[in-house]
Amino acid sequence: MLQDIRDNSQGTIAKIIIGLLIVVMSLWGVESIIGGFSGESEVASVDGEAITEREFLRVVQMEGQRRLSAMENPDPAMLDEDEIRRDVLESLIQEQVLIQDANEQGLELSDQDIDSLITQMPQFQVDGTFNQDRFVATVRNMGMGIGEFREAMRKQYVVNQIRAGIAQSGVVTDENVAQLLRIQNQTRDFRVVTVSAEDVREGIEVSDNDIETYYQNNLDDYRLPERVDAEYIALSLEALAETVEVSEEDLQAYYQDRASDLAAEERRAAHILLEEGADTSATMATIQERLEAGEAFEDLAQEFSADSMSAAEGGDLGFAGRGVYDEAFDETLFALEKGEVSDPVTTSFGVHLIKLLDVRKSDVPPLEEMEDALRRDLAERQAQERFAEVRTQLADSAYASDDLNGPAEELELEIRETSDVTRDGGSAPFDHAGLVRQLFSDDVVKDRFNTELIDVGDNVSVVARVKNYYEAEERPLDEVREEIRSVLLEQKTREALRDRADALIAELEAGTDVEALAVGEWTEYTAQSRSGSDLGRGLISAVFSIDRPQEGSVNYGKALAGSGVAIIALDRVNEGDIDQDSGELDQLRGFLASMEGQREYAAYQQYLRERAEVTRN
């Protein structure tokens, strides 16, 4: 048998298979061949299909990184690992349900289709061309093998096909769209008279019994939270840099080192640009032959260059410093000698021939002009080296000390104080959740240890300790009595305004003129829309919530407005116009259809999820 294997391994067919394997492994990696051979632990199964522990943990890690990146001050300790794991598992179960549905419908993606998609993805391209090294590095940075990535693409693509198919199938009738647009564009004619709070406030009383009852019913609103007064040492690179003394000798040496950078070099380039196509190589060869034959670069640029603006100037692009052009163009330009023409250079714009026309360097500014900036820069550089050292010393010293006095004296740092820091934080640097969590830990509150050294920002580190601790407590009634009195007065005033408005509306509906009610005169508004009015959101919302009046009659409503109440008389509802040529109708139809499609897809997902047999391990 071994001899048979040996003989067959020398045959033509075997050589072809081995060659294909080599190509596959070199392009996609060995995982694409052996990735599915080994058994793996499962965290769940959906209708018998496993969700592996490896896949689950990888997505948990990615989701944790995503949530960290969304934080203003990323702090891994703020992540709820249990919540992440629950959310990820549910999303993987839902994904598996959708994948199985796609398989049942016969939707699939071939290996060739996946290869085509991958090679066309911009994140895997360099200068518009697929780059194997970038592809492998990107996938590895995602914590995936090549085979895993290809399989994930296969799954996601077929799921998206179903999603897109259902989401795009939403349908709404033209009449419904038109009716909604008419309502949206509707305007109203109405009148308003306002009753002031002062008109109803007379006679409103807030008794001591009212205040005490309100206090007892709302104790949580008058409870001082758990809080601390804290001492802390803040170490910052900026403050450290201010203590650095930069000598004249160091400044002179730094100025000399920077002289070449300070004298910026600019290069004047000309180019001939060809857009990539079937005949690009032949055209480029023709241009190079004519250049060698002695024709002027400027003339050939006018004849051939696809960059019409520079072509009119003989290809001249003017002076530019480093970093202005595409990277490949830039590197080539700054490697040329004056008057030299480059070989063809490919960028995202096409293929270029580049000629260096001229070089100029600006003079180095005198030290006097740059002394302050250079001194600050040099101080920060020196402080950067010192910062890491002092940070380590502060962390060690604070950990070993019973208070902050020793570390402060040892490192010549200032002890600062702040008060009323709650578990929700306080003023900077106690607006950092990680530092606040440390401050309220048992070790720091009960045992009065120092916190760990916490990085609260770029090159800013803080160590703190509790000076005074206050348990949560209720504020005494006498302390909040006037505050409650104001709240109750406002409440009773609003109630009185509503009652007054209801009484006036009843009289208006009974036929009494507004003049006889002695509340002021009507202010009229015509053709007011839902938007674009300066009357206030609350009043306009109330106007458009009143029922349409019958022809010749009036419907009334009310709205709290400022320090009073507005009584509204709705006279007329004007139907909204629809401009068939404005695009509004099509835009709204598309929006409503999309919403309907998304609703249908959500319902479809729920249906699939409910009928699936899910086992969690």
Side-chain angles (χ1 to χ4, degrees):
M1 180 177 180
L2 291 175
Q3 184 61 44
D4 289 340
I5 294 174
R6 186 179 297 111
D7 291 341
N8 287 331
S9 70
Q10 308 301 318
T12 303
I13 294 176
K15 291 179 180 178
I16 293 173
I17 293 173
I18 290 172
L20 289 173
L21 288 176
I22 291 172
V23 170
V24 170
M25 286 190 288
S26 66
L27 182 58
W28 307 121
V30 71
E31 296 95 330
S32 61
I33 299 173
I34 65 173
F37 285 4
S38 59
E40 294 188 50
S41 300
E42 301 176 4
V43 294
S45 65
V46 180
D47 290 333
E49 291 288 337
I51 297 173
T52 67
E53 184 177 22
R54 183 168 184 261
E55 178 185 14
F56 171 69
L57 293 177
R58 175 178 56 78
V59 180
V60 166
Q61 182 182 19
M62 292 173 63
E63 177 62 13
Q65 291 297 324
R66 186 192 68 78
R67 296 190 186 191
L68 268 180
S69 64
M71 294 181 182
E72 184 174 349
N73 296 307
D75 183 357
M78 295 298 295
L79 294 176
D80 187 335
E81 294 289 344
D82 291 337
E83 179 185 85
I84 292 175
R85 294 170 76 90
R86 287 194 303 269
D87 292 348
V88 166
L89 182 56
E90 185 56 39
S91 70
L92 289 175
I93 290 171
Q94 186 64 62
E95 180 186 66
Q96 186 60 244
V97 167
L98 296 171
I99 290 168
Q100 290 178 5
D101 179 57
N103 292 338
E104 289 177 7
Q105 295 189 43
L107 297 174
E108 61 179 0
L109 208 63
S110 69
D111 289 341
Q112 291 78 11
D113 292 333
I114 295 175
D115 294 346
S116 178
L117 286 172
I118 289 174
T119 55
Q120 292 176 34
M121 295 173 74
Q123 56 266 49
F124 302 143
Q125 295 182 355
V126 176
D127 293 333
T129 303
F130 174 76
N131 183 278
Q132 172 66 16
D133 292 337
R134 175 169 291 187
F135 167 64
V136 173
T138 303
V139 173
R140 297 293 188 203
N141 288 338
M142 293 168 62
M144 301 177 72
I146 305 303
E148 285 181 292
F149 180 79
R150 288 166 60 80
E151 187 59 28
M153 280 198 62
R154 189 193 309 274
K155 293 176 181 178
Q156 201 58 49
Y157 186 82
V158 294
V159 168
N160 285 341
Q161 283 185 305
I162 296 177
R163 178 186 293 115
I166 296 177
Q168 293 172 10
S169 66
V171 176
V172 291
T173 66
D174 289 346
E175 180 52 36
N176 285 344
V177 176
Q179 179 62 19
L180 186 60
L181 196 56
R182 280 193 290 269
I183 293 173
Q184 176 62 33
N185 293 342
Q186 187 184 94
T187 63
R188 296 192 168 201
D189 302 339
F190 58 93
R191 293 164 286 149
V192 174
V193 64
T194 301
V195 178
S196 169
E198 297 302 322
D199 296 338
V200 300
R201 188 160 286 162
E202 185 178 352
I204 295 177
E205 293 184 357
V206 178
S207 68
D208 288 343
N209 185 60
D210 292 337
I211 293 173
E212 185 169 351
T213 300
Y214 184 88
Y215 175 74
Q216 294 297 332
N217 291 338
N218 298 274
L219 282 175
D220 287 344
D221 294 340
Y222 299 99
R223 183 184 299 274
L224 289 173
E226 183 183 14
R227 64 201 188 281
V228 299
D229 299 333
E231 298 177 320
Y232 66 100
I233 296 174
L235 174 67
S236 71
L237 178 64
E238 182 179 0
L240 204 58
E242 292 177 358
T243 67
V244 173
E245 292 291 338
V246 177
S247 68
E248 292 301 319
E249 293 78 9
D250 289 343
L251 184 63
Q252 285 285 351
Y254 188 52
Y255 174 70
Q256 295 300 326
D257 288 342
R258 292 287 309 279
S260 59
D261 295 333
L262 298 172
E265 178 181 312
E266 293 183 313
R267 295 196 162 205
R268 183 180 178 187
H271 79 141
I272 298 172
L273 171 65
L274 299 182
E275 295 178 347
E276 290 196 86
D279 58 347
T280 301
S281 297
T283 304
M284 183 60 74
T286 299
I287 295 171
Q288 289 177 299
E289 288 175 2
R290 291 173 62 176
L291 280 171
E292 291 176 2
E295 292 193 46
F297 190 94
E298 294 80 2
D299 295 339
L300 293 171
Q302 291 178 353
E303 181 179 347
F304 289 101
S305 184
D307 182 357
S308 57
M309 293 187 66
S310 68
E313 303 296 327
D316 193 346
L317 296 171
F319 283 98
R322 284 189 180 275
V324 172
Y325 301 118
D326 180 278
E327 183 178 355
F329 191 106
D330 200 66
E331 288 182 1
T332 301
L333 174 61
F334 278 84
L336 294 174
E337 297 293 334
K338 185 174 178 179
E340 184 181 2
V341 177
S342 72
D343 292 329
V345 177
T346 300
T347 72
S348 57
F349 299 99
V351 183
H352 312 252
L353 281 182
I354 306 168
K355 182 177 181 180
L356 178 59
L357 302 178
D358 199 0
V359 178
R360 70 183 182 190
K361 288 188 177 182
S362 60
D363 294 333
V364 180
L367 175 59
E368 293 74 18
E369 290 184 10
M370 305 193 63
E371 180 174 354
D372 291 342
L374 290 177
R375 194 179 292 277
R376 283 194 304 272
D377 190 20
L378 187 54
E380 286 188 5
R381 287 170 177 262
Q382 294 177 359
Q384 186 74 58
E385 300 173 3
R386 176 71 176 144
F387 181 81
E389 178 184 344
V390 174
R391 186 190 181 285
T392 301
Q393 291 175 344
L394 178 58
D396 293 342
S397 180
Y399 179 80
S401 299
D402 294 331
D403 54 34
L404 296 179
N405 295 324
E409 292 175 5
E410 177 186 347
L411 300 171
E412 298 182 350
L413 296 171
E414 177 188 0
I415 297 178
R416 305 177 187 179
E417 294 186 5
T418 190
S419 58
D420 293 330
V421 180
T422 70
R423 288 186 180 271
D424 292 329
S427 57
F430 295 95
D431 54 353
H432 185 274
L435 178 59
V436 172
R437 188 174 58 257
Q438 279 267 325
L439 194 64
F440 279 89
S441 67
D442 287 346
D443 287 347
V444 177
V445 170
K446 294 180 180 178
D447 300 330
R448 296 302 171 99
F449 291 144
N450 297 328
T451 68
E452 297 176 11
L453 189 66
I454 304 294
D455 296 322
V456 298
D458 291 339
N459 297 314
V460 180
S461 303
V462 173
V463 61
R465 65 178 288 102
V466 170
K467 184 177 181 181
N468 298 304
Y469 171 76
Y470 308 95
E471 292 185 352
E473 58 181 342
E474 294 167 4
R475 295 171 65 188
L477 175 58
D478 287 342
E479 183 180 315
V480 298
R481 183 179 299 277
E482 293 309 312
E483 185 178 332
I484 294 175
R485 187 185 304 279
S486 297
V487 171
L488 290 175
L489 181 61
E490 182 66 23
Q491 286 184 358
K492 291 191 174 189
T493 299
R494 286 199 301 268
E495 291 170 4
L497 283 169
R498 292 191 184 98
D499 292 343
R500 176 67 171 145
D502 289 340
L504 291 172
I505 288 173
E507 294 194 52
L508 289 168
E509 290 175 337
T512 306
D513 291 335
V514 70
E515 291 80 6
L517 298 176
V519 292
E521 298 180 352
W522 291 114
T523 301
E524 295 190 10
Y525 300 91
T526 59
Q528 290 291 313
S529 66
R530 296 175 187 271
S531 59
S533 172
D534 58 358
L535 294 177
R537 194 180 192 91
L539 179 58
I540 286 295
S541 178
V543 168
F544 278 85
S545 67
I546 300 173
D547 292 339
R548 180 194 299 264
Q550 297 292 327
E551 188 69 30
S553 64
V554 179
N555 282 351
Y556 296 94
K558 64 179 181 294
L560 289 173
S563 60
V565 63
I567 298 171
I568 306 163
L570 178 61
D571 297 313
R572 181 181 176 84
V573 173
N574 309 304
E575 291 298 339
D577 295 328
I578 300 176
D579 184 353
Q580 298 288 346
D581 298 325
S582 69
E584 272 189 317
L585 207 59
D586 291 338
Q587 186 177 1
L588 184 58
R589 182 186 294 109
F591 174 73
L592 294 176
S594 175
M595 290 187 62
E596 179 64 17
Q598 292 174 25
R599 187 193 65 78
E600 291 177 1
Y601 180 68
Y604 183 67
Q605 281 184 297
Q606 185 64 27
Y607 162 73
L608 294 176
R609 178 67 177 82
E610 289 174 354
R611 75 170 191 171
E613 183 177 338
V614 177
T615 303
R616 290 178 169 86
N617 298 332

